[in-house]
Amino acid sequence: MQDTIPIHEGWTSASPEEAGFDRQNLRRLDDHYASIIASGTIQAASYILARKGKVFAHRSLGKLRHGEDSADMLPDSIRKVYSITKVFTAVAIHQLIDRGQIFLNESVSRILPEFDNDKHRGITIFQLLTHTSGLQGDPGFYLEPYGLPWYEWMASEAKKAYPHINWLQVVISGPMQRMPGKEWIYCSSGYAILGEIIAKVSGKSYEQYIQDEILTPLGLTNTFFKVPEKFRDTVCCTNEWEKNQIYNPRERTAEMPNVAGNGLYSSLEDLWRFGQMMLDGGIGNGNRILSKRSIELQTVNHLHGLTSRGWGNLHTDFKYGLGWSVDHYDLASPGTFSHEGYGHCGLYVDPVEELVFAFLVPSHKGFTNESVVTPRAIVWSGLE
């Protein structure tokens, strides 16, 4: 199967054997990706694997753009990573905690006056990070057939009708879905609120803070909120809406929510460098990005006995870190932490095996077991 779909090799710094990985599993992984590209499950696949800080696989196959005349996706192609943005936001929040500017259980109302009311005063930074604020979840979280519009659209439309209110008021309007701390409800608007906290406390826009305090110190030169013109032809997209976002980016105004929940574009190498920083105790590119203690705090479970009913599942004891998913039911080691993004993409860090795995599997179908769960099993079964 893979012979009909070219495989492109990116740079590496070690062989699979030097990294303690079975080379046959790379062939098995490529064959699997090729088969689900051929079946139409995904448009393309690219991935990077590193162990003990050495990259031993960096590959891509499939098409960069939807349409049969597209160029191939390459190992250094850029892709919008959607909700992986949330872990950059979580790191930024913990930087501010490290610097003594905020604290984890601080009431949001002490920073954002919109929350200073009887209904929202109990919501904390901790609850926003862990998706336990009780605020409205993402559209479709409960598989509701007619979910509320995405918060960015809601806020912009409300601003037209009611110019005297701001986007924060729109996001927290209406009933709470649960009382704070009672249920895990995936809430991207909660991360937009965290982005506003970052802006208020730092005195910079959310986007500028992420650039100055994370992207630049880490040397992430292929990670952007707005893709520069010279990179636009290298960005993977799966439909015309994504393509339009690249070539006709919307200029954000103060009236619009920030993109702290889903706005970054990135490359495999940059995702690896970010994941490697987390694995290396907060140091990357020779710079201290985050304290070792904050890394430890972010990447362990903080929920006990909470229910989650998201996307058709029922978990009665859902586990989650401070911005990171920590509950894995497959071959990953205990202590593995990760985040995935719409579209689909993922970043996994296994501290026991000192392994970082980042992947981009663009598809209009989004998450499928074939594109996400099966490749994880193939990767972890190759460890020696």
Side-chain angles (χ1 to χ4, degrees):
M1 179 70 71
Q2 77 173 46
D3 293 337
T4 64
I5 300 178
I7 296 175
H8 300 276
E9 298 272 2
W11 69 271
T12 57
S13 54
S15 68
E17 291 77 14
E18 290 170 329
F21 193 86
D22 185 349
R23 184 182 291 270
Q24 283 299 108
N25 275 55
L26 294 181
R27 176 62 181 259
R28 191 172 292 123
L29 184 61
D30 292 337
D31 285 347
H32 174 73
Y33 280 139
S35 70
I36 59 176
I37 290 171
S39 69
T41 301
I42 59 176
Q43 174 180 302
S46 62
Y47 64 92
I48 192 167
L49 281 162
R51 200 174 190 193
K52 301 181 188 298
K54 299 291 186 180
V55 173
F56 64 89
H58 188 196
R59 296 179 175 178
S60 66
L61 54 165
K63 297 298 184 181
L64 185 70
R65 301 280 170 89
H66 61 94
E68 295 181 3
D69 58 347
S70 167
D72 286 353
M73 188 169 184
L74 300 177
D76 61 354
S77 294
I78 293 168
R79 169 79 175 147
K80 189 169 185 180
V81 295
Y82 291 97
S83 284
I84 293 178
T85 307
K86 291 181 173 67
V87 293
F88 286 78
T89 302
V91 164
I93 286 288
H94 279 83
Q95 286 179 328
L96 297 176
I97 293 172
D98 280 347
R99 297 166 189 174
Q101 294 178 271
I102 57 175
F103 58 93
L104 190 57
N105 287 310
E106 186 165 7
S107 172
V108 174
S109 66
R110 293 181 59 183
I111 303 167
L112 303 179
E114 290 85 355
F115 282 73
D116 192 15
N117 59 72
D118 291 342
K119 181 178 173 183
H120 299 108
R121 198 174 291 117
I123 296 174
T124 64
I125 292 172
F126 171 89
Q127 290 165 345
L128 293 177
L129 284 168
T130 56
H131 298 285
T132 60
S133 67
L135 294 174
Q136 187 79 36
D138 284 16
F141 178 73
Y142 288 111
L143 300 184
E144 64 273 26
Y146 310 109
L148 288 172
W150 194 254
Y151 68 90
E152 291 183 46
W153 183 89
M154 248 195 327
S156 63
E157 290 301 306
K159 188 67 180 176
K160 294 175 187 177
Y162 305 99
H164 60 286
I165 67 174
N166 64 41
W167 69 266
L168 274 171
Q169 292 170 315
V170 176
V171 166
I172 62 176
S173 64
M176 301 277 285
Q177 284 197 314
R178 295 291 182 273
M179 291 299 291
K182 298 301 182 183
E183 186 173 338
W184 189 86
I185 303 171
Y186 191 78
C187 180
S188 291
S189 60
Y191 272 73
I193 294 164
L194 288 170
E196 189 69 7
I197 290 171
I198 291 166
K200 286 276 188 178
V201 172
S202 70
K204 302 178 180 181
S205 70
Y206 163 77
E207 294 86 347
Q208 192 62 52
Y209 181 92
I210 297 296
Q211 182 66 56
D212 292 347
E213 303 296 333
I214 300 177
L215 305 186
T216 297
L218 273 178
L220 305 188
T221 56
N222 289 314
T223 301
F224 320 98
F225 288 104
K226 180 181 176 182
V227 180
E229 189 171 350
K230 67 178 181 178
F231 290 99
R232 290 176 185 173
D233 290 343
T234 71
V235 179
C236 173
C237 57
T238 62
N239 54 49
E240 288 300 318
W241 176 78
E242 286 188 337
K243 187 175 180 180
N244 187 60
Q245 281 192 317
I246 298 164
Y247 291 98
N248 301 289
R250 185 173 57 170
E251 294 296 332
R252 181 177 171 248
T253 65
E255 291 78 24
M256 295 166 57
N258 59 62
V259 289
N262 60 6
L264 278 175
Y265 293 81
S266 194
S267 66
L268 288 173
E269 179 178 345
D270 279 9
L271 290 178
W272 162 64
R273 291 187 184 280
F274 183 83
Q276 193 68 44
M277 177 273 294
M278 296 292 296
L279 187 59
D280 290 342
I283 295 176
N285 196 36
N287 295 308
R288 167 67 67 184
I289 306 300
L290 199 58
S291 72
K292 180 182 176 182
R293 294 293 187 183
S294 277
I295 298 283
E296 293 169 350
L297 189 66
Q298 278 191 293
T299 57
V300 297
N301 177 51
H302 286 273
L303 305 184
H304 304 281
L306 262 67
T307 297
S308 172
R309 299 181 177 88
W311 302 298
N313 301 306
L314 174 60
H315 300 281
T316 56
D317 187 17
F318 194 79
K319 294 176 173 59
Y320 205 75
L322 297 173
W324 293 87
S325 178
V326 297
D327 205 357
H328 300 294
Y329 301 100
D330 50 23
L331 302 182
S333 305
T336 296
F337 52 94
S338 67
H339 211 292
E340 295 170 6
Y342 172 82
H344 200 80
C345 51
L347 173 61
Y348 283 75
V349 181
D350 184 334
V352 175
E353 297 290 351
E354 298 181 76
L355 179 74
V356 179
F357 173 39
F359 62 87
L360 308 171
V361 283
S363 169
H364 68 276
K365 295 183 179 180
F367 178 93
T368 64
N369 288 318
E370 295 85 355
S371 62
V372 178
V373 177
T374 301
R376 284 205 312 259
I378 294 171
V379 168
W380 263 264
S381 66
L383 296 168
E384 296 179 338

